[in-house]
Amino acid sequence: MTKTNDAVTVVIPVHNAADRLDRVSSWRLALEKLNRGSELLVVDDGSTDGTAEKLAAKEPRARVLRHDARRGFGACLRTALAEAKNPLFFYTALDYPYAPHDLRPFFERIDLRDEILGKQPDLISGCRTGVPTPLLPRAVSLAWRGFWRVFAGMPVQPPAPWHGWGEFWYGAGVSWVFGVPLADVNSCFKLYRTAFLKRFPIQSDGDFVHAELVAKATFLTSIMDEQPLSAKPDPVPPLGDTAADRRRLFRHPEFCFPPAPQQPPVADAPGSPEPAPQPAT
């Protein structure tokens, strides 16, 4: 494996986060310790508590992009992607205690090249761990794995980390309908190749963007991996409304940008001199 040390753009969407700006400082300090170039983009998604102003005073090295009104996590990623300058694009959030030091092994993993396909990953996603699994899903999982082991002789992988019933049913739905293979698709701890994200439009405005990007990576046969994050006992934050974005993606998925409209030829202005005739040869 050859380390590329590609520079990374770190994106943090925020909304009314004036009381959590210390977490932004943690990310800035973590980036300074990396042996690679970096830029920190904070997208203020229509905050009304002075988040942008306080952040600019507290973290002048962070570049703040602003929305006049709240538009959603997906819209924030669109805004940041248009401004990203580096080959790698990482995004996270402040509503869960993600650990900045978990990012370092992601860089090592995205540099690996598949021995068969000869390609490197386009996506490395973090999987949150540490929440204990309730008795009922543990018992069902044990019975299911035992059945396949005893009657079919086939070992079954242990279940994914538990994130609550809502996340369980949501993950099952996007897995069956959109082909999303990740155990924690909604984790806001993802590292992408910027060139890959710029291949297609981001259609989701809200939280469905996490599933959309992974689903499109699956459709485009990208290599991806999921890495466990530091165990945290904190509950997983709830998702916003994803219904409208799910319908849009299911009915009209877009995998490339529409061609630019051709400009009609400009007619000569009235009274303009006619071109001089060319001499005969």
Side-chain angles (χ1 to χ4, degrees):
M1 178 186 70
T2 302
K3 292 186 176 181
T4 60
N5 281 346
D6 285 335
V8 60
T9 296
V10 173
V11 178
I12 308 178
V14 297
H15 174 73
N16 289 345
D19 59 339
R20 289 169 285 164
L21 296 184
D22 287 342
R23 297 187 183 182
V24 177
S25 299
S26 298
W27 280 101
R28 191 259 304 165
L29 292 172
L31 292 179
E32 292 177 353
K33 297 178 181 179
L34 294 175
N35 185 25
R36 65 182 66 231
S38 64
E39 63 174 340
L40 178 59
L41 302 182
V42 180
V43 185
D44 180 12
D45 195 25
S47 295
T48 57
D49 65 347
T51 292
E53 293 78 8
K54 295 176 182 178
L55 180 62
K58 184 179 181 63
E59 287 295 337
R61 297 181 186 179
R63 184 179 175 193
V64 182
L65 309 175
R66 301 189 64 177
H67 291 166
D68 293 335
R70 192 169 190 182
R71 295 165 55 189
F73 204 101
C76 290
L77 294 187
R78 279 199 302 269
T79 297
L81 186 60
E83 300 291 330
K85 303 174 182 178
N86 295 327
L88 298 179
F89 184 97
F90 171 80
Y91 73 77
T92 188
L94 303 183
D95 59 354
Y96 181 85
Y98 294 104
H101 64 78
D102 282 336
L103 183 55
R104 189 175 295 275
F106 279 50
F107 292 125
E108 298 174 359
R109 179 64 187 91
I110 205 166
D111 277 338
L112 294 179
R113 187 174 298 275
D114 185 88
E115 296 180 356
I116 299 177
L117 300 178
K119 298 193 302 183
Q120 292 177 303
D122 288 319
L123 158 63
I124 308 296
S125 181
C127 180
R128 293 165 288 190
T129 63
V131 178
T133 304
L135 178 60
L136 178 59
R138 275 195 291 124
V140 171
S141 173
L142 182 61
W144 179 256
R145 292 161 59 199
F147 170 82
W148 285 105
R149 184 61 174 170
V150 172
F151 292 97
M154 183 176 68
V156 179
Q157 294 295 325
W162 183 255
H163 302 123
W165 285 108
E167 290 279 325
F168 173 80
W169 292 115
Y170 179 89
V174 297
S175 174
W176 282 97
V177 177
F178 294 95
V180 172
L182 301 183
D184 186 15
V185 63
N186 295 321
S187 167
C188 295
F189 201 99
K190 289 183 170 63
L191 178 66
Y192 284 91
R193 295 193 182 277
T194 305
F196 168 76
L197 289 180
K198 291 187 175 183
R199 290 176 58 184
F200 51 80
I202 297 178
Q203 296 175 253
S204 298
D205 292 326
D207 289 344
F208 192 70
V209 68
H210 311 301
E212 174 193 346
L213 298 182
V214 178
K216 288 182 175 179
T218 303
F219 182 85
L220 296 172
T221 66
S222 292
I223 295 176
M224 66 184 75
D225 195 9
E226 192 169 25
Q227 298 286 326
L229 302 177
S230 296
K232 304 282 185 180
D234 304 73
V236 173
L239 281 180
D241 185 15
T242 62
D245 287 332
R246 275 187 291 169
R247 287 194 297 269
R248 183 183 305 118
L249 265 294
F250 183 78
R251 295 171 181 172
H252 303 291
E254 297 177 2
F255 293 94
C256 60
F257 290 95
Q262 295 183 351
Q263 297 294 332
V266 179
D268 293 336
S272 59
E274 296 184 359
Q278 298 296 322
T281 59

